Amino acid sequence: MLIDFSKLDEATIEGMDGGEGAIVARMVVNEVGRYVECRVLPGSSIGEHVQKSGNDVNFVVSGHGHAACDGVREELAPGVCHVCPRGSRHAIFNDGDEDLVLWTVVM
């Protein structure tokens, strides 16, 4: 399977999972998993939620922020991969001054 994110429409989501501000995402969902290119805008967050659909793997492309997974704070920077296993609670915060860009796979 080949996914060309540049050919997908962007969707802006306000207050994702009860978070602050907005994220901008391009996404493919199929029987195998969910594949997302996501920009968490400065000062925005993906609110804390239980990861129900599968293991959530977030690779940081650019920007800075932090994740909280089951109460543990993890710093996010380019080249870092945040993994939230199914059943865990997590949230992602952009506390930097540029977009926090993530490539996410949920399987």
Side-chain angles (χ1 to χ4, degrees):
M1 172 177 55
L2 179 69
I3 300 170
D4 186 345
F5 287 104
S6 70
K7 294 183 179 178
L8 300 176
D9 291 332
E10 286 188 331
T12 300
I13 303 166
E14 297 283 340
M16 184 167 183
D17 291 320
E20 298 292 324
I23 68 161
V24 180
R26 295 178 173 152
M27 183 183 319
V28 170
V29 179
N30 61 28
E31 65 282 351
V32 178
R34 185 168 61 237
Y35 310 90
V36 186
E37 177 189 70
C38 175
R39 292 186 291 123
V40 182
L41 304 181
S44 297
S45 64
I46 298 170
E48 185 178 68
H49 60 284
V50 175
Q51 189 59 38
K52 295 179 181 176
S53 58
N55 298 316
D56 190 341
V57 179
N58 300 279
F59 178 78
V60 180
V61 177
S62 63
H64 292 84
H66 72 277
C69 187
D70 290 335
V72 177
R73 182 182 170 114
E74 300 172 342
E75 297 301 317
L76 301 178
V80 168
C81 189
H82 160 68
V83 179
C84 180
R86 177 185 287 172
S88 295
R89 297 187 67 79
H90 77 137
I92 294 176
F93 304 87
N94 180 346
D95 45 22
D97 52 4
E98 63 182 79
D99 291 353
L100 174 61
V101 179
L102 307 171
W103 286 342
T104 300
V105 175
V106 181
M107 297 175 68

